[in-house]
């Protein structure tokens, strides 16, 4: 019987040790917003880190208040009796450095200037996040994670963890991800960034001081992103050419249901997400390329890893297509690492990794049951 | 853990051919019965391949390494010579591209092991003779719902291997789990062929 983790409360952790980022910039002090579920066992071997994707954060499962409409972003996967079973595992979610849901990021106050960081907040790479997450693990006394799990950009963090801290990752679950972005993917990201940067209310990233928000840019960026996270078939089935009023109006207002849906999603997003964070997160995606430091050989990069891997992709995901996951699988096989791979039939596109799909849930459950047995 | 005697008869005979501690690729591994047995009893390092997601779930449940893939387009995920044995059990008769898969088996592995229903089995011949498509223990489908598209006899399979520059190293023909030594192409319903490149 699976149930919700119930009411949860995030916690802010302060890190006073300065961190030198890949870009060379030093952040003297930072905070991470963290939410945990289940309990850490005596030998601290049952911890699972869940890395968030582009617009994700610490709130993975359960609700903050009983009256909250929606639960955490991966509530169908994390909870008592769910595939990531909080009766067995101690699950950690966090908002990454540079985020806008409580961790230090562009909208935070820079203690040196007493003004928001804004445009002065440095670019953060996936490896920098892994560094902050390792410090978080140190703080909690976790030597080795039972598993590090992530979808999309989160999968990249799991890959990076396995390369940088091989002895600290028992299993890495890399879902709907890629070993690096294609030119097409970088192109989409740049259109999204340009939408934000060219918004007249962006003010070079320092819009906070002007009391405005580049809402139009953020809205466009999200609408574009949203299209690429869905599949043509999935969108067709849900919306088709349905009209709101049933007839053509011969104008540029919302007529088709898909327009209404995208605008709604864009509007919602523009009120709850920070424009600078969106720029940072998409840049982290663009820069990720672990093979770069190993002569361009992903297999050579993966040879550093000691973790066992589960790689999962979804058939209709064209933004992080199955062929990209197969590159990861091939590199792991070439490096003689332990890997299983599932290619789930789905019409939900890239977003499928957040959906409840029986075979997908079954693969995750089967894999994590064995992880639980291993550490018991 | 599956007992040796409870393994499906063709899998039992395959497991007899495999040396302890070797690397095995099991194509069309289904629920991973063979790999699980080999891993538990012969310290084999194995990887399964199957196209069906529920097979992947079963294998993952057993703690096996398994890759979901369609073998019809080859075995691109695997490097040349990375396995001691490549097994294809009771699957080849349902495949489109038989020459490609045989070639790929001996590209990624040193030895191939294939099992298939023998169309030359006398009961099949008899049913054809009385004007019906054969339905038997090893071919349990009617003509209209069978997944099998490429039937062959023991002799046909050997001939194809020869044509492709491969040789038969060992051949076991079975009926109801027992080996058939007398007129195997007539009295055996299921064949196991172990093969390798002829010039090696």
């Amino acid at each position: 019987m699976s149930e919700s983790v119930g009411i949860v409360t995030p916690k802010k952790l302060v890190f006073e040790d300065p961190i030198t980022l890949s870009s060379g910039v030093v952040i003297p002090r930072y905070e991470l917003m963290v939410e945990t579920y289940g309990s850490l066992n005596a030998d601290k071997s049952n911890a699972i880190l869940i890395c968030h994707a582009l617009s994700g954060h610490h709130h993975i499962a359960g609700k903050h208040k009983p009256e909250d409409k929606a639960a955490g972003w991966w509530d169908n996967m994390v909870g008592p009796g769910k595939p990531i079973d909080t009766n067995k595992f101690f699950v950690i979610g966090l908002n990454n450095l540079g985020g806008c849901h409580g961790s230090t990021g562009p909208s935070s106050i820079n203690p040196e200037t007493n003004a928001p960081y804004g445009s002065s907040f440095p670019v953060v790479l996936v490896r920098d996040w892994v560094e902050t997450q390792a410090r978080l693990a140190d703080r909690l006394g976790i030597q080795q994670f039972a598993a590090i799990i992530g979808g999309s950009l989160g999968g990249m963090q799991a890959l990076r963890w396995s390369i940088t801290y091989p002895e600290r990752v028992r299993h890495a679950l890399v879902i709907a991800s890629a070993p690096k972005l294609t030119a097409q993917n970088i192109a989409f990201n740049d259109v999204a960034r340009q939408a934000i940067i060219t918004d007249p209310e962006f003010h070079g990233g320092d819009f906070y001081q002007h009391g405005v928000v580049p809402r139009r840019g953020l809205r466009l960026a999200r609408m574009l992103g949203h299209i690429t996270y869905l599949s043509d078939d999935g969108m067709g089935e849900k919306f088709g050419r349905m009209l709101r009023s049933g007839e053509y109006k011969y104008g540029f207002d919302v007529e088709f249901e898909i327009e209404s849906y995208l605008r709604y999603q864009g509007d919602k997003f523009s009120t709850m997400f920070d424009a600078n964070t969106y720029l940072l997160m998409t840049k982290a995606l663009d820069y990720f390329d672990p093979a770069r430091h190993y002569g361009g050989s992903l297999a050579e990069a993966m040879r550093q890893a000691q973790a066992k891997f589960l790689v999962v992709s979804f058939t209709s995901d064209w933004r992080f297509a199955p062929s990209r996951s197969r590159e990861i699988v091939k590199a792991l096989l070439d490096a003689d690492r332990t890997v299983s791979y599932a290619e789930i039939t789905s019409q939900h596109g890239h977003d499928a990794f957040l959906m409840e799909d029986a075979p997908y849930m079954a693969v995750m459950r089967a894999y994590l049951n064995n992880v639980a047995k291993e550490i018991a | 853990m599956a007992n040796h005697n409870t393994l499906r008869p063709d899998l039992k005979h395959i497991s007899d051919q495999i040396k302890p501690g070797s690397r095995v690729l099991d194509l069309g591994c289904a629920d991973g019965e063979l790999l699980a047995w080999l891993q538990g009893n012969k310290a084999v390092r194995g990887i399964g391949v199957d196209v069906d997601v529920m097979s992947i779930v079963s294998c993952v449940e057993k703690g096996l390494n398994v890759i979901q893939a369609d073998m019809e387009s080859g075995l691109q995920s695997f490097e040349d010579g990375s396995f001691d044995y490549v097994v294809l059990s009771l699957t080849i008769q349902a495949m489109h591209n038989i020459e490609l898969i045989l070639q790929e088996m001996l590209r990624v592995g040193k030895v191939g092991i294939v099992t298939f229903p023998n169309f030359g089995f006398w009961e099949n011949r008899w049913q054809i003779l009385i004007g019906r498509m054969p339905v038997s223990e090893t071919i349990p489908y009617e003509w209209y719902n069978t997944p099998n598209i490429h039937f062959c006899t023991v002799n046909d399979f050997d001939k194809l291997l020869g044509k492709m520059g491969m040789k038969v190293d060992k051949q076991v023909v079975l009926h109801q789990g027992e080996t058939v030594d007398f007129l195997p192409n007539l009295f055996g319903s299921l064949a196991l062929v172990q093969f390798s490149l002829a010039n090696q």
Side-chain angles (χ1 to χ4, degrees):
Chain A
M1 187 64 195
S2 57
E3 42 189 320
S4 165
V5 297
I7 302 299
V8 286
T9 311
K11 219 166 128 181
K12 198 175 266 191
L13 300 182
V14 182
F15 294 81
E16 302 282 359
D17 282 343
I19 184 167
T20 306
L21 302 175
S22 306
S23 62
V25 176
V26 178
I27 297 191
R29 175 190 182 279
Y30 60 94
E31 297 170 334
L32 293 180
M33 196 67 143
V34 178
E35 204 163 286
T36 66
Y37 321 90
S39 42
L40 194 57
N41 60 8
D43 61 357
K44 303 188 173 186
S45 62
N46 71 332
I48 288 184
L49 176 69
I50 298 189
C51 305
H52 69 64
L54 181 60
S55 61
H57 48 76
H58 53 278
H59 184 39
I60 293 168
K63 292 179 174 180
H64 289 152
K65 297 188 293 291
E67 61 270 25
D68 284 352
K69 268 199 218 137
W73 58 267
W74 219 6
D75 192 70
N76 55 20
M77 190 64 91
V78 179
K82 291 183 182 177
I84 302 173
D85 191 343
T86 50
N87 289 328
K88 298 171 183 166
F89 296 110
F90 175 64
V91 180
I92 305 170
L94 82 160
N95 184 210
N96 278 339
L97 184 69
C100 55
H101 291 99
S103 294
T104 300
S107 56
S108 311
I109 300 294
N110 180 350
E112 284 168 22
T113 60
N114 264 331
Y117 279 97
S119 61
S120 73
F121 198 89
V123 164
V124 184
L125 300 198
V126 169
R127 54 166 62 217
D128 298 325
W129 287 333
V130 166
E131 192 55 41
T132 60
Q133 290 160 1
R135 290 182 183 196
L136 170 62
D138 293 343
R139 174 77 60 92
L140 300 171
I142 296 159
Q143 262 307 306
Q144 187 192 49
F145 282 104
I148 296 185
I149 305 177
S152 194
L153 178 57
M156 293 172 170
Q157 291 163 63
L159 276 179
R160 171 45 74 191
W161 256 100
S162 73
I163 297 167
T164 307
Y165 291 109
E167 69 292 346
R168 299 192 75 170
V169 192
R170 192 178 262 277
H171 292 270
L173 282 71
V174 180
I175 304 164
S177 196
K180 60 174 188 258
L181 292 194
T182 58
Q184 188 193 43
N185 260 317
I186 295 172
F188 279 126
N189 282 347
D190 198 47
V191 174
R193 281 191 297 265
Q194 287 303 313
I196 292 169
I197 289 169
T198 57
D199 186 312
E201 303 203 295
F202 182 62
H203 297 286
D206 295 316
F207 50 88
Y208 315 98
Q209 283 93 316
H210 295 79
V212 291
V213 172
R215 206 160 274 152
R216 278 168 290 179
L218 203 48
R219 180 171 178 259
L220 278 177
R222 188 57 175 183
M223 285 171 76
L224 171 75
H226 215 89
I227 295 166
T228 70
Y229 305 145
L230 305 177
S231 75
D232 194 15
D233 285 349
M235 218 188 248
E237 176 153 309
K238 196 165 170 189
F239 303 103
R241 292 178 54 84
M242 259 186 308
L243 294 165
R244 300 198 76 193
S245 70
E247 53 191 61
Y248 288 3
K249 298 262 199 226
Y250 307 105
F252 298 102
D253 287 338
V254 173
E255 288 190 73
F256 292 94
E257 285 292 353
I258 182 64
E259 295 175 311
S260 161
Y261 172 78
L262 279 182
R263 289 184 199 194
Y264 170 75
Q265 292 293 342
D267 285 339
K268 197 170 83 173
F269 190 74
S270 70
T271 61
M272 50 177 249
F273 209 82
D274 178 71
N276 284 313
T277 290
Y278 204 82
L279 301 182
L280 283 180
M281 298 279 167
T282 55
K283 256 330 219 194
L285 271 165
D286 292 358
Y287 284 129
F288 184 73
D289 181 10
R292 189 165 166 260
H293 305 282
Y294 296 91
S297 162
L298 185 63
E300 210 45 57
M302 296 324 298
R303 219 181 286 280
Q304 315 306 312
Q306 292 170 17
K308 294 174 180 166
F309 290 82
L310 174 67
V311 178
V312 181
S313 72
F314 299 88
T315 49
S316 57
D317 182 354
W318 57 280
R319 186 98 192 235
F320 289 78
S323 59
R324 308 307 317 281
S325 284
R326 287 198 289 265
E327 286 175 40
I328 298 172
V329 172
K330 171 130 183 39
L332 287 165
L333 288 170
D334 290 353
D336 202 15
R337 300 297 104 146
T338 300
V339 56
S340 284
Y341 172 58
E343 198 167 298
I344 307 292
T345 303
S346 165
Q347 60 157 358
H348 294 297
H350 186 54
D351 275 353
F353 84 91
L354 297 170
M355 307 281 182
E356 187 138 5
D357 172 277
Y360 169 41
M361 294 281 155
V363 170
M364 295 290 283
R365 184 184 294 278
Y367 194 88
L368 288 158
N369 274 341
N370 287 330
V371 176
K373 276 186 222 150
E374 256 179 47
I375 55 169
Chain B
M1 185 68 58
N3 183 300
H4 192 241
N5 292 322
T6 62
L7 275 176
R8 203 173 75 199
D10 67 313
L11 300 183
K12 184 165 167 262
H13 284 273
I14 292 171
S15 69
D16 289 340
Q17 316 284 322
I18 289 173
K19 291 197 184 89
S22 49
R23 272 185 73 82
V24 176
L25 181 65
D26 186 2
L27 303 174
C29 62
D31 65 358
E33 184 183 357
L34 174 68
L35 275 182
W37 191 89
L38 289 172
Q39 209 159 285
N41 296 278
K42 286 200 168 180
V44 152
R45 293 176 64 205
I47 302 179
V49 175
D50 208 285
V51 72
D52 175 43
V53 73
M54 292 325 287
S55 296
I56 305 299
V57 173
S58 300
C59 289
V60 169
E61 272 169 358
K62 293 186 174 77
L64 303 169
N65 299 323
V66 62
I67 307 289
Q68 190 174 1
D70 181 0
M71 300 174 301
E72 292 288 2
S73 49
L75 304 171
Q76 294 94 337
S77 296
F78 303 100
E79 284 291 286
D80 296 3
S82 42
F83 295 92
D84 299 307
Y85 301 91
V86 183
V87 174
L88 184 66
S89 56
L90 292 183
T91 304
I92 199 163
Q93 75 280 0
M95 293 192 66
H96 286 268
N97 211 335
I98 286 180
E99 283 170 279
L100 175 71
I101 195 65
L102 292 174
Q103 233 159 36
E104 284 282 90
M105 286 175 78
L106 291 190
R107 175 182 69 78
V108 304
K110 297 187 190 95
V111 172
I113 300 177
V114 166
T115 63
F116 58 89
N118 175 27
F119 208 70
F121 179 51
W122 73 268
E123 276 187 29
N124 299 335
R125 298 191 198 190
W126 171 249
Q127 289 185 59
I128 294 271
L129 202 65
I130 62 170
R132 293 200 48 209
M133 281 301 283
V135 178
S136 64
E137 191 182 300
T138 48
I139 312 176
Y141 300 97
E142 296 287 348
W143 66 272
Y144 51 83
N145 65 11
T146 180
N148 301 324
I149 51 172
H150 282 136
F151 278 124
C152 68
T153 71
V154 174
N155 295 347
D156 290 331
F157 190 72
D158 295 352
K159 206 174 146 193
L160 174 63
L161 290 181
K163 192 202 109 183
M164 293 182 66
M166 299 168 182
K167 66 177 192 319
V168 175
D169 294 321
K170 186 164 185 147
Q171 187 158 287
V172 184
V173 180
L174 304 166
H175 184 57
Q176 294 184 331
E178 301 297 324
T179 51
V180 176
D181 296 322
F182 177 66
L183 296 178
N185 196 29
L186 186 60
F187 293 118
S189 53
L190 196 139
L192 181 159
V193 180
Q194 182 176 317
F195 59 101
S196 60
L197 289 174
N199 53 9
Q200 280 178 358

